């Protein structure tokens, strides 16, 4: 399969180029960056593009690709409802083209969220501890917030009653926050990259799901799953988990 | 729903009696132990029995229950192929009766195994660390062996190549063993009850699923899932995970 | 060595009786509870008492023991400055008698606090995650508060600057609190007993010290260290760590 | 303080150059690599050298430095008894010069070993789990072997009896080994860098000390402790822990 990378000089794009070069079933047809002509996608017979560019340029890239019947795997951030609608409209004229928008390509993170959604149905309590480097400006992390929302939804569907919590006296100042039903605890320290632990508890037992991500290489197996499966999923798909069957 | 416990004076049976008494949607119809007449099951209108007796007496109990159209939830150990065949034959004459044979009622343990089976498809490496009290005679634990087999099967189905391992020099004497593809590490120490960690690794990330069980109460939510669902699953079911949909 | 237990019918006292009976170098001389005469301590030749009674009765017991030149190991809670002064005054007339007041007999907890105090000097960041059963009314736990204070003091002595923390956006509602310099995260769930993790971080590395306590038996090795060493430490000692040399 | 780095183009040397440049109390006087003249050390008034070169060239560097009354902090590997004797002999003629040979500059690793040595005196059981990247050729790791030896020595001094272990049935093939008294479990997987967990257990409680190292930057705080303290420790010192008081 012929695959081009857009944003090939960026940090994620460069990793994607390396990952495609290492995969024996994939051929890198083009590695484009700012200013390069998109026409190369057509002349090289590219079948799938991987886009790690910027919120400003991504829509132009996707329009070109879809109009030329090239599948798109997108890690660029900033997809709001408006952009998703534009994308659906583009795709409606090319019903065989697949488009994957993935907020997180980390397989481990995606699995952690899926497993948490399932476990939430069976345990009384759920809390999240997430650990990130000290330069992170937001707490809780985006992944923690999304996990907490998924757990909250699953609890609602299972008609869970409120989590047991006898706390009467407390102190101020804990970093984190309560998201839906779920207390999230945010640790910030040098020596961490991106880590999260989801803890489920019930009488006599706890189940803990932990993901540790220490560099960008960890996202590439997820990008490759996207590349290899996008042609089998025509239309718009949001979230890599939709390509990961049987969970 | 009227539920009877057989083996009610044993440790697991006593916990089951307590759990049923605490459940507002269930009524304890009988709590029988060695020497008590099974006729009470009929006279009390019992709909489901929970059997925590012994490999020697369990088949007689199940025969009586099934012949009286009572569903059976079984935690008693020692079910080999021969016993399972006998059970199927009994059930074939009572097509509405459900029978659940569950080697492990711990929800957390069941989920850990299910999640491991799924994660095995996405990660290059998988290893298990299991921690038990120092009085345990077998290493690796039964749960670890079963988890390792499930991971090995999942890897085979996904056509995974051998795990990366550059080890050239080694020392003898590590407790544990290799089960299928999976190295299992067994820790034995006072201060532990029953714990297991399944570690999945790939470039840049690890996913760890850990289950900690500190007492028998941890098995009761699983028993109750069995009791509440057995009537909806006529015929023989082996493994609580078959009642836990959507995983 | 002849050892008596006061409060022998309480939960901790009963464990102490069992622990002394199991120790080959110690003899249980008396097991007293409410209403039993203290005179037995003298008639049995008791050398050390272990007191797990109540804040109301403990001072009367200690007065009797010290006046009869019997060493005292005390796990009873509620020792404020006034009681400690009374005790010092009693001991001043019996200069060979040792008295140990121990807020926590868990060796693991004591070591965790000592190690944390040391590590605090070498790492930029320190945070605490403590996990307790859902029936606990206070957050953070007493052990977490004490650990955080010890870390804060050690940082002050090492003239550490403020921990790195770029957090700009936050949510309300995280259980726990900031104690001195140290963010403490409090998790409450069934399935836990008493657990604490102290995390130290700096560029490229983290050091984590974790203590898991699953039952009262875990306090007995600490009680026995107290019993075996109290005679060598005349006068008042507060904190088991003072008997644990070489840390 | 004027500090020179030898082996400045190597991976550790380059990190050391950066660390010294970032430290406000230190001045980088020279950054030398293969072929550069050592005379610059004298002409620049260097007070301390940091040597991250090779086993072949290190002794020549140290001889030059010591003969010019420059203190030496050495991370180069391969110091056997013969080299240490040579070094002592060199130092005997320069009694004010300090030399630190450090097999491990990771503060976290050094503290983990120190804490393990202390904890070993108080717990019945001790086991080590170490996790490294899949390209590592030796199992157990050097740090695990050294930790296990320190624990074994501490147990001997405390006259500990054998660890409790009821294991009767076992499987072959677990990676790791028994070092002294201590079972060591070795996990190898992509996604890890260098990690170790030391677990101590006794009735009702476990104490776990874990070190996670994710890049070379983690060694630099230890290098700086060496640089800042070597002048206060004339003569030969092996092991950074000797500069870390009060543990």
């Amino acid at each position: 399969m012929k695959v081009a990378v857009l944003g090939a000089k960026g940090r994620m794009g460069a990793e994607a180029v390396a990952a495609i070069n290492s995969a024996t079933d994939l051929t890198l047809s083009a590695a484009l960056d700012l200013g390069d002509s998109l026409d190369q996608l057509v002349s090289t017979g590219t079948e799938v593009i991987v886009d790690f560019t910027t919120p400003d340029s991504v829509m132009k890239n996707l329009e070109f690709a879809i109009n030329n019947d090239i599948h798109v795997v997108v890690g660029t951030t900033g997809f709001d409802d408006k952009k998703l609608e534009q994308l659906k409209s583009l795709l409606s004229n090319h019903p065989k083209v697949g488009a994957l928008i993935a907020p997180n390509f980390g397989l481990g993170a995606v699995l952690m969220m899926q497993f948490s959604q399932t476990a939430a149905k069976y345990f009384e309590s759920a809390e999240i501890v997430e650990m990130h480097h000290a330069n992170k400006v937001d707490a809780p992390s985006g992944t923690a917030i999304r996990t907490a929302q998924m757990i909250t939804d699953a609890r609602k569907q299972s008609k869970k009653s409120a989590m047991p919590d006898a706390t009467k006296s407390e102190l101020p100042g804990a970093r984190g926050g309560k998201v839906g039903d779920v207390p999230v605890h945010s640790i910030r320290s040098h020596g961490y990259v991106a880590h999260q632990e989801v803890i489920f508890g019930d009488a006599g037992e706890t189940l803990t799901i932990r993901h540790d991500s220490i560099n960008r290489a960890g996202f590439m197996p997820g990008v490759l799953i996207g590349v290899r499966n996008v042609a089998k999923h025509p239309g718009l798909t949001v979230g890599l988990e939709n390509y990961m069957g049987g969970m």
Side-chain angles (χ1 to χ4, degrees), chain A:
Chain A
M1 197 182 294
K2 289 184 178 175
V3 187
V5 175
L6 278 63
K9 289 183 181 159
R11 293 185 301 185
M12 286 292 280
E15 289 279 351
V17 165
I20 290 161
N21 277 328
S22 302
T24 53
D25 60 331
L26 305 176
T27 304
L28 184 74
S29 53
L32 308 184
D33 212 285
L34 212 64
D36 293 330
S37 164
L38 295 173
D39 293 334
Q40 292 182 51
L41 299 177
V42 176
S43 62
T44 55
T46 293
E47 294 160 90
V48 177
I49 65 160
V50 175
D51 191 290
F52 281 115
T53 60
T54 64
D56 284 349
S57 50
V58 64
M59 288 310 293
K60 182 176 50 67
N61 298 338
L62 301 188
E63 187 173 354
F64 182 93
I66 292 167
N67 284 339
N68 285 283
D69 292 313
I70 298 171
H71 307 289
V72 302
V73 171
V74 185
T76 306
T77 55
F79 272 81
D80 51 18
D81 286 346
K82 198 183 143 198
K83 281 188 175 175
L84 292 174
E85 282 310 313
Q86 273 183 268
L87 207 48
K88 273 187 207 162
S89 155
L90 280 170
L91 288 161
S92 64
N93 298 321
H94 298 267
K96 289 189 182 165
V97 175
L100 171 67
I101 307 296
N104 195 331
F105 276 112
L107 288 187
V110 169
L111 290 170
M112 175 177 59
M113 285 187 270
Q114 295 282 312
F115 295 165
S116 295
Q117 200 172 27
T118 298
K121 297 189 281 179
Y122 298 103
F123 284 87
E124 270 190 289
S125 302
E127 304 210 7
I128 296 174
V129 185
E130 51 95 349
M131 292 141 273
H132 283 82
H133 55 88
N135 299 323
K136 188 169 180 60
V137 293
D138 53 320
S141 71
T143 299
I145 288 174
R146 196 161 169 229
T147 311
Q149 286 165 340
M150 289 168 76
I151 291 171
T152 302
D153 289 347
R155 289 175 61 88
K156 205 163 286 172
Q157 280 169 31
S158 310
K159 301 196 169 66
K160 290 266 168 207
S161 51
M163 295 188 196
D165 185 354
T167 313
K168 280 181 192 163
S169 82
E170 257 189 291
L171 295 177
R175 203 191 296 101
K178 195 160 184 182
V179 180
D181 290 358
V182 184
V184 182
H185 308 273
S186 302
I187 295 177
R188 295 294 174 265
S189 169
H190 291 325
Y192 280 124
V193 182
H195 316 256
Q196 182 173 305
E197 214 167 82
V198 191
I199 300 167
F200 295 95
D202 221 318
E205 65 171 345
T206 53
L207 178 70
T208 306
I209 303 167
R210 179 175 176 129
H211 181 239
D212 294 274
S213 171
I214 60 168
N215 62 46
R216 256 166 239 111
F219 297 115
M220 292 309 123
V223 170
L224 297 187
I225 285 183
V227 167
R228 287 176 180 131
N229 291 284
V230 65
K232 297 176 215 154
H233 295 80
L236 179 63
T237 303
V238 178
L240 183 64
E241 58 273 24
N242 298 292
Y243 285 16
M244 298 165 74
M247 288 195 293

